[in-house]
Amino acid sequence: MLARIPLSLLSLLSLAAASALAVPGRSSAAIAPPSAAIVPSSEAPPLEMLPRWAVPQSYVLALRSDPAASDYRGTVTIAVDLRKTSDHLWLHGKELRVQSVTITDAGGRAHPGRYTETVPKAGVARIDFGELLGPQRLTLKIAFSASYNGTLQGYYKVVFAGHAYAMTQMEPISARLAFPCFDEPGFKAPLMLSLTIPDADTAVANAAQATEKSDPDGWKTLTFAPTKPLPTYLYAWAAGPWDIVQGPTIPPTRWRSEPVPVRGIATRGNGRKMQRALAMVPGIIEAEESYYGFGYPFGKLDLAALPDFSAGAMENAGLVTFRDWLLLLDESSSPDAVRTTFNDEAHELAHQWTGDTVTLKWWNDIWLNEAFATWMQQKVAETLHPEYRTDLGRIEGGEGAMADDSLVSARMIRQPITGEGDIDTAFDGITYQKGAAVIGMFEHFVGPKAFQQGMRAYITAHAFGNADADDLVEAIAAAAQRGKRFEDAFKSFLNQNGVPRVASRLDCAQTGGPVLYLTQSRYLPIGSKGNPSRLWGIPVCVSFPDAQQCQLVDTRVTRMKVGGGCPKWYMPNAAGVGYYRFEMAKPDRAALSRAISERSDAEQLAYADSASAAFQRGTLDAPEALAVMRELAPSSVRQVALAPLGTVEWIYRYKARSNTQRAAVRDAVEKAYLPRLEALGYRRRAGESADDALMRSSLASALGLTFKVPAVRAALLRQGEAALERGANGQLDLDAANPDLLPTALSVAVEEQGQPAVSALMRQIGLTTDPVKRNAMLTALSHAEGAEADVARDFALGDEVKVGEMAMVLRGGRETRAERDQLWHWFTQHYRRIVERSGIFSGGDLPQIAGGGGCSQAEADRLETFFTPRVDQLPGTKRGLGQARESILLCTALRAEQSPAVQESRP
């Protein structure tokens, strides 16, 4: 239930907060010292969770904010439930300048307190009362000022097209950079916000605007309605010369009695590009309401296209924020862009239930937010846009997560939190894609209806409160009428890392009928130092020619009795929904191979992954991997046809060591895929399907950039050169290329032309505000070679490239050892500047940017030597280093594995 704040208290707090801003230019008041009779306690600062004996009940935040300035100031008034006698409390604040603290006790007596950032690096702060206070309801009023953050965290500013904008990104722990608060997900409280901003600006926030009052000095104060209880990481607002455009209104449904107005927020002049994205919202909201049986609870709904952003998107209740290119669509937008927008909207809007309405208690359960939003996004797309094939997308996502999960250094889904680094690195493929795949696996096992009943019970029971994994698993188990064995099985995927490996062997000689033996262990690639002896509770579903059988496999060896006689073949991962890799006895795999073309698209994807997994284990050699490519490439389903290319690319880049071997691989790829690309052509065709356009883009990139097929590069180069021609206005004619192929065409041009293309693109980026075209040009710069690669990287560190765009350039230049050596030298020379620009939450990514793609002991060693002394400087660096180094060593081991020469497979 929603805990309401008494109106009398809201009125009192609102007036108190507003009074601090009534006189412009007020001077900072000195803090009166606490009574000398009280000796402050020496309690150690809490570096993980704050104690639960001081709990926020509400916030009233009043800010005076001019985005064109460097600083802002304000007051926050926090109602706190003090649950034990104390002379202090703990909260969060980081890089804030606190002018005064006023403590008002339950009797209305006010006296000054003292604010100290006791652990500045972590943002842990202490407020001393100056006396012992018993359990009661306190009010803290804190006056403070701060600089707008420069690394896209907290309350930050961006200057875009000559205009200044201020906006927020609080997740995971950056609200403490914006104002003093209890910055943990377990503390949910309503926020009442007022923003005093220049008259010419506009502002938006989580809740609807309630009042507007103009001041005679050219400012105005906007007051917003109180939010529902939210954690601080979901508080959001933005100020500046935004375009605010009206979208569709979502009519009432059986789950919601009031309509929901939808608006778009964009930088000046870009509001007109919001309508296509806004039109997607009603269908998504109604589908999610219908699934959860719970109406959208936050009143209005704004979608904001931010000019620079550290995340892809953020699910702030009532004010969902996105990178601008995700929402700014027009009629020429590529099918891939349109699908990405829909899927990202469906993901973020799913959070309005899982994350916003029901919030995790602590960061070890961030999967309750992100995995469920990923899973629901796919479910909504299956309903509204079955042609998007997000059923296959979930399988692809799970298989992608398995690559990371195969590392000994991989995170668990429910990774224990020991510091900021564990929080920062939790937003990865393990949380999102593995989490969604595990959810889908257990949904398939218990049945969609039972799973939905469990989800509805979970949302209803914990609405506007907090929950953890036990709450969710118990709700599903109860709805499915399953017991502790099921709960333990589910949790076995949450509380340990790694990918299960299920080895299968069919025995039709048993007197009691055929038996399928299923033996589980941990999947480990060649070179891994992991222990294979691990058990999960795996819901294994097997397809047979005439039936499907499911069984919970939670012992080392399990016998599955097969009904209906000895089957001609079986598929160990029915519908491809299982989060495990399978390895079949050779006769069994041969039988499946003969039937695989007749199986479902999903099972063909799982079959392709089993081949990739076998290659990484050394049980499938390069010629056999190329044979799998030839087997699946003719598929009419794009995802299936392209599935083998990841393994083949690795062979081309690392295993094929001579020009002859590389030519053999390239010839095989060309023979398998070039006729299809040529049939599609290099330009859009009237009436073509979106899937054809997506296939064209994928094949052009793979054949033109990865495998460097001459005919493909020539066709792309013609488009790239046309796009680099300057028109009468002095700007590049980027519209001359197929918009779907623009990044690829420009990349080929950069590789072929070198300096002229690099210089032209750098100049044009400074003249271009269109985010899609900027992305294409920045992607092309990542393909610069030789001396121009360093020129492009230097450019990425400059002001003409946004902070959120920088990594697009830095992730290139690593195909060969020489290119990686050059990147390494540049990176180590510019490390400090990279850190300054990217901020404190970049630690987990930096080792991968520096060393990703490495495949030698020497590259692993230099990575460790450079980063080991720096692991404590940025949160997440230790885990990022461990994973990047292990990946390099695994690549090295696989490369050294002896197998038949690549040229033996040349057609």
Side-chain angles (χ1 to χ4, degrees), residues 498-578:
V499 182
R501 169 179 170 262
V502 177
S504 61
R505 178 177 62 84
L506 180 64
D507 184 353
C508 289
Q510 296 288 322
T511 57
V515 173
L516 183 63
Y517 288 92
L518 303 170
T519 303
Q520 68 160 301
S521 60
R522 182 177 183 175
Y523 171 83
L524 295 171
I526 284 177
S528 175
K529 300 185 183 301
N531 182 354
S533 298
R534 183 172 291 181
L535 292 178
W536 287 262
I538 312 170
V540 173
C541 291
V542 181
S543 290
F544 298 100
D546 299 315
Q548 180 185 126
Q549 290 182 212
C550 295
Q551 189 166 326
L552 191 61
V553 175
D554 53 5
T555 57
R556 181 71 60 203
V557 180
T558 300
R559 298 170 81 252
M560 177 183 283
K561 291 185 176 180
V562 181
C566 188
K568 293 182 178 180
W569 56 263
Y570 67 91
M571 170 60 179
N573 191 352
V577 298

Side-chain angles (χ1 to χ4, degrees), residues 14-273:
S14 180
L15 289 171
S19 66
L21 300 180
V23 182
R26 57 182 167 78
S27 59
S28 299
I31 301 176
S35 169
I38 299 295
V39 179
S41 69
S42 57
E43 179 184 2
L47 297 181
E48 295 180 17
M49 295 178 71
L50 294 177
R52 264 41 190 174
W53 48 261
V55 180
Q57 303 299 302
S58 66
Y59 294 88
V60 177
L61 179 61
L63 299 178
R64 185 179 181 90
S65 173
D66 179 359
S70 59
D71 296 349
Y72 64 95
R73 58 186 172 90
T75 64
V76 62
T77 305
I78 313 174
V80 178
D81 182 10
L82 185 66
R83 297 177 177 177
K84 78 168 192 177
T85 299
S86 180
D87 64 351
H88 70 282
L89 61 74
W90 299 99
L91 77 171
H92 293 109
K94 188 172 184 179
E95 300 174 13
L96 304 174
R97 300 182 291 274
V98 170
Q99 284 82 45
S100 65
V101 177
T102 302
I103 302 166
T104 303
D105 62 24
R109 181 176 64 91
H111 68 277
R114 182 175 61 200
Y115 171 97
T116 308
E117 288 189 13
T118 55
V119 189
K121 186 176 180 180
V124 176
R126 172 173 166 146
I127 289 183
D128 286 292
F129 304 153
E131 59 183 346
L132 284 172
L133 297 176
Q136 60 184 292
R137 183 69 63 92
L138 296 177
T139 299
L140 308 177
K141 180 179 178 182
I142 306 170
F144 67 97
S145 61
S147 299
Y148 293 107
N149 186 266
T151 59
L152 312 183
Q153 300 294 328
Y155 191 27
Y156 67 95
K157 66 177 287 185
V158 174
V159 177
F160 178 76
H163 301 289
Y165 301 86
M167 63 218 78
T168 58
Q169 171 56 28
M170 306 301 197
E171 192 179 37
I173 52 172
S174 292
R176 64 193 67 183
L177 289 164
F179 67 103
C181 58
F182 293 76
D183 195 15
E184 292 181 5
F187 293 121
K188 295 183 76 170
L191 168 69
M192 187 172 182
L193 174 70
S194 64
L195 294 173
T196 300
I197 59 176
D199 266 334
D201 285 344
T202 59
V204 292
N206 296 104
Q209 182 179 320
T211 65
E212 179 174 331
K213 179 182 178 182
S214 294
D215 298 333
D217 58 352
W219 294 72
K220 60 185 177 186
T221 299
L222 309 182
T223 301
F224 298 87
T227 70
K228 295 202 183 304
L230 296 172
T232 51
Y233 81 82
L234 291 174
Y235 291 168
W237 61 87
W242 303 98
D243 283 356
I244 301 179
V245 299
Q246 299 299 320
T249 295
I250 309 173
T253 67
R254 61 177 293 197
W255 312 110
R256 172 178 37 80
S257 60
E258 297 295 326
V260 177
V262 177
R263 301 187 303 176
I265 318 299
T267 51
R268 179 173 289 179
N270 282 313
R272 59 187 174 79
K273 296 182 179 180

Side-chain angles (χ1 to χ4, degrees), residues 347-622:
H347 179 104
E348 301 306 327
L349 296 180
H351 276 304
Q352 307 302 299
W353 287 266
T354 52
D356 297 11
T357 300
V358 180
T359 305
L360 66 156
K361 291 179 181 177
W362 185 234
W363 294 111
N364 63 326
D365 272 323
I366 189 61
W367 77 284
L368 290 173
N369 290 18
E370 301 300 349
F372 274 92
T374 303
W375 167 79
M376 177 53 71
Q377 155 210 323
Q378 295 156 347
K379 186 173 288 291
V380 169
E382 284 182 62
T383 300
L384 299 181
H385 289 286
E387 74 277 12
Y388 288 4
R389 297 304 307 269
T390 51
D391 57 326
L392 301 183
R394 181 180 298 162
I395 295 170
E396 290 179 310
E399 292 171 354
M402 289 180 191
D404 292 333
D405 208 13
S406 299
L407 301 176
V408 175
S409 55
R411 290 180 54 258
M412 308 173 198
I413 291 180
R414 293 194 80 208
Q415 181 69 32
I417 303 298
T418 61
E420 287 184 35
D422 289 323
I423 298 173
D424 177 44
T425 56
F427 297 83
D428 65 354
I430 300 299
T431 293
Y432 288 70
Q433 282 75 36
K434 177 181 179 179
V438 168
I439 293 166
M441 175 174 64
F442 281 97
E443 179 192 26
H444 180 80
F445 186 63
V446 304
K449 288 186 177 179
F451 200 89
Q452 182 183 24
Q453 290 170 359
M455 288 303 302
R456 286 186 170 190
Y458 168 77
I459 294 293
T460 301
H462 302 284
F464 308 113
N466 297 89
D468 61 18
D470 289 343
D471 297 318
L472 184 282
V473 174
E474 289 168 8
I476 300 299
Q481 299 182 349
R482 306 277 180 151
K484 186 176 184 299
R485 187 182 177 202
F486 172 84
E487 294 180 17
D488 290 345
F490 204 132
K491 292 177 184 178
S492 73
F493 282 86
L494 305 179
N495 298 327
Q496 60 183 344
N497 65 357
V499 182
R501 169 179 170 262
V502 177
S504 61
R505 178 177 62 84
L506 180 64
D507 184 353
C508 289
Q510 296 288 322
T511 57
V515 173
L516 183 63
Y517 288 92
L518 303 170
T519 303
Q520 68 160 301
S521 60
R522 182 177 183 175
Y523 171 83
L524 295 171
I526 284 177
S528 175
K529 300 185 183 301
N531 182 354
S533 298
R534 183 172 291 181
L535 292 178
W536 287 262
I538 312 170
V540 173
C541 291
V542 181
S543 290
F544 298 100
D546 299 315
Q548 180 185 126
Q549 290 182 212
C550 295
Q551 189 166 326
L552 191 61
V553 175
D554 53 5
T555 57
R556 181 71 60 203
V557 180
T558 300
R559 298 170 81 252
M560 177 183 283
K561 291 185 176 180
V562 181
C566 188
K568 293 182 178 180
W569 56 263
Y570 67 91
M571 170 60 179
N573 191 352
V577 298
Y579 187 82
Y580 54 87
R581 283 176 154 164
F582 63 85
E583 192 166 303
M584 306 172 72
K586 285 193 174 183
D588 299 359
R589 184 176 183 87
L592 176 61
S593 180
R594 291 190 292 270
I596 194 63
S597 63
E598 304 301 319
R599 299 305 302 151
S600 69
D601 305 333
E603 291 186 355
Q604 290 184 52
L605 273 183
Y607 174 80
D609 178 71
S610 74
S612 173
F615 177 79
Q616 293 167 42
R617 274 179 53 82
T619 57
L620 189 83
D621 60 31

Side-chain angles (χ1 to χ4, degrees), residues 629 632-635 637-645 673 676 695:
M629 177 192 70
L632 296 180
S635 173
V637 178
R638 172 173 52 87
Q639 294 88 337
V640 174
L642 298 176
L645 277 179
Y673 294 103
R676 193 162 185 171
M695 178 61 93

